Amino acid sequence: MDIIVLKPGCTDDDIRHVVKRLESKGLKVHVSKGTERTIIGVIGDTSKISEDEENAIRAIEVVENVMRIIKPYKLASREFHKEDTVIDVNGKQIGGKQIQVIAGPCSVENRSILLHIAEKVKEAGATFLRGGAFKPRTSPYSFQGLGEEGLQILKEASQQTGLPVVTEVMDPRDVEIVSRYADILQIGARNMQNFRLLLEVGQTDKPVLLKRGLSGTIKEWLMAAEYIMSRGNHKVILCERGIRTFETATRNTLDLSAVPVLKKLTHLPVIVDPSHGVGKWDLVLPMARAAVAAGADGLMIEVHSNPEEALSDGEQSIKPDLFKQLIHECRRVAEAIGREL
Ligand code: PEP
Ligand code: MN
């Protein structure tokens, strides 16, 4: 049921006008006239009222407010799917008791560096390998990634370490090639609302790691997940990576409250990327601990053996030794809340 609140002092004609309008859409209504306010309850399955129709109802002069009880996202909603979704990737579960740790450099720079970092993160306890082959850079003059060569290097590192690979796809035209090499397709923050790309990955059978947009609200983010799911791919992992705020001390503001909020609203697994969230290497570990404490199902951490020489995001990349420490400390937090890492 949805609720429509009318303005004080509305006449019987006003009420009739709104009721007729709703009934013309095939909806049943219940009018409740109070001393101050008249409220119209819309009865039955109101999920078919689109946002455009909702806004048209808001435009009726006598309407003060429209309250939707049904969420605009359906497949992603906890109401429609009560149990947590657990996504299996090569025998590793995302969204279960075990917390997964995705680690690696921002970009795949060359074969020897990637193989070296992959070995290091594996040794420290990472469960997935990350690395960008197609990089969304603010400047067209910055390193853009190695493309297919980068994907081949990732595959080799994956075979060598046994770690499944998470890598970004930026363009609908690249979905096919990236799917050939990756175990999880990453949709970057800048593409959260690239709807053609979302629909394209929705047609694959690969799990999709959907990062939160730079200024994406939780509702917009879940609607983006809905796009992917609407094409039949229900394996969506949400990744909080910080949002734009007025604060300049950190690269972004890591919204850890999004984790428990999402746990209420959706059944999809939620992971946290503190590296992009804070943008400074020495802040990554405390925020990783906090993310686990907040209930994240996983972490994404940028690790580089020589951050000073990194081709992208060196400032926020931690060295393998610190990564080892991070795993150790996050494991203790995980155990304290009845989870494993
Ligand atoms: C990344 O993971 O390297 C990346 C570019 O992240 P984001 O899309 O969150 O900025
Ligand atoms: Mn990065």
Side-chain angles (χ1 to χ4, degrees):
M1 159 155 157
D2 290 341
I3 293 165
I4 297 165
V5 183
L6 302 186
K7 286 187 178 143
C10 63
T11 65
D12 283 348
D13 270 356
D14 290 332
I15 299 171
R16 259 195 301 278
H17 173 70
V18 180
V19 168
K20 260 176 82 178
R21 176 67 201 277
L22 293 164
E23 284 177 345
S24 75
K25 297 275 173 203
L27 298 162
K28 289 202 166 43
V29 300
H30 176 267
V31 179
S32 163
K33 268 197 200 171
T35 47
E36 297 283 320
R37 281 275 198 277
T38 296
I39 288 170
I40 302 176
V42 186
I43 304 161
D45 179 12
T46 57
S47 63
K48 286 179 191 65
I49 305 179
S50 69
E51 278 201 40
D52 291 333
E53 279 171 274
E54 176 189 332
N55 288 332
I57 294 167
R58 277 182 204 280
I60 303 174
E61 260 175 49
V62 73
V63 170
E64 182 164 274
N65 199 2
V66 177
M67 284 176 269
R68 303 280 323 247
I69 307 296
I70 302 267
K71 306 270 186 330
Y73 42 90
K74 192 165 185 166
L75 299 169
S77 160
R78 183 70 88 179
E79 285 162 25
F80 287 85
H81 190 289
K82 298 262 177 294
E83 300 77 36
D84 287 340
T85 284
V86 179
I87 299 171
D88 185 282
V89 187
N90 304 356
K92 296 178 204 280
Q93 259 94 44
I94 305 180
K97 191 173 180 190
Q98 181 85 26
I99 292 167
Q100 303 295 345
V101 183
I102 304 165
C106 179
S107 314
V108 179
E109 298 173 1
N110 67 43
R111 182 173 173 274
S112 69
I113 294 177
L114 188 82
L115 292 184
H116 176 69
I117 298 173
E119 281 300 340
K120 287 288 183 191
V121 297
K122 157 89 185 190
E123 200 182 291
T127 51
F128 287 81
L129 176 66
R130 65 149 286 146
F134 294 94
K135 294 304 301 177
R137 304 307 302 281
T138 300
S139 165
Y141 309 117
S142 302
F143 177 59
Q144 303 286 310
L146 296 180
E148 185 169 7
E149 188 195 344
L151 297 173
Q152 285 162 349
I153 295 170
L154 279 166
K155 187 86 192 164
E156 186 182 346
S158 173
Q159 281 160 351
Q160 200 163 302
T161 56
L163 300 177
V165 161
V166 183
T167 195
E168 177 161 355
V169 57
M170 285 171 53
D171 189 308
R173 292 167 295 188
D174 296 331
V175 169
E176 200 256 312
I177 186 163
V178 178
S179 299
R180 259 189 266 147
Y181 294 95
D183 298 288
I184 298 181
L185 302 174
Q186 174 172 325
I187 301 291
R190 288 154 194 81
N191 275 318
M192 186 195 84
Q193 287 189 314
N194 182 339
F195 300 118
R196 296 283 296 270
L197 180 61
L198 299 175
L199 292 175
E200 201 64 34
V201 297
Q203 295 193 121
T204 71
D205 60 358
K206 296 281 177 184
V208 178
L209 189 150
L210 177 63
K211 289 194 141 193
R212 183 178 187 174
L214 306 182
S215 299
T217 65
I218 288 179
K219 184 173 155 192
E220 287 162 345
W221 191 6
L222 288 171
M223 291 306 287
E226 192 79 11
Y227 262 88
I228 300 169
M229 298 172 86
S230 72
R231 282 292 159 103
N233 186 352
H234 290 197
K235 292 182 276 187
V236 179
I237 303 148
L238 301 165
C239 178
E240 164 61 39
R241 48 77 72 207
I243 49 175
R244 279 260 159 97
T245 68
F246 54 84
E247 184 53 73
T248 53
T250 46
R251 179 177 180 182
N252 291 292
T253 296
L254 187 65
D255 179 14
L256 285 184
S257 63
V259 178
V261 168
L262 287 167
K263 286 288 166 190
K264 281 207 283 189
L265 297 177
T266 181
H267 51 88
L268 296 171
V270 182
I271 73 161
V272 172
D273 167 357
S275 304
H276 292 87
V278 294
K280 297 247 165 54
W281 68 269
D282 54 344
L283 303 177
V284 171
L285 191 155
M287 294 316 281
R289 285 193 308 241
V292 174
D297 297 303
L299 296 169
M300 174 176 263
I301 310 287
E302 283 187 342
V303 179
H304 200 291
S305 42
N306 189 5
E308 285 175 36
E309 299 291 332
L311 295 181
S312 59
D313 286 350
E315 199 186 350
Q316 67 193 33
S317 298
I318 61 173
K319 292 182 184 169
D321 278 351
L322 186 56
F323 177 63
K324 206 166 173 174
Q325 175 79 8
L326 180 149
I327 295 258
H328 177 69
E329 293 189 19
C330 288
R331 183 170 290 141
R332 292 178 58 197
V333 178
E335 281 161 5
I337 57 166
R339 298 192 71 169
E340 288 165 11
L341 191 156

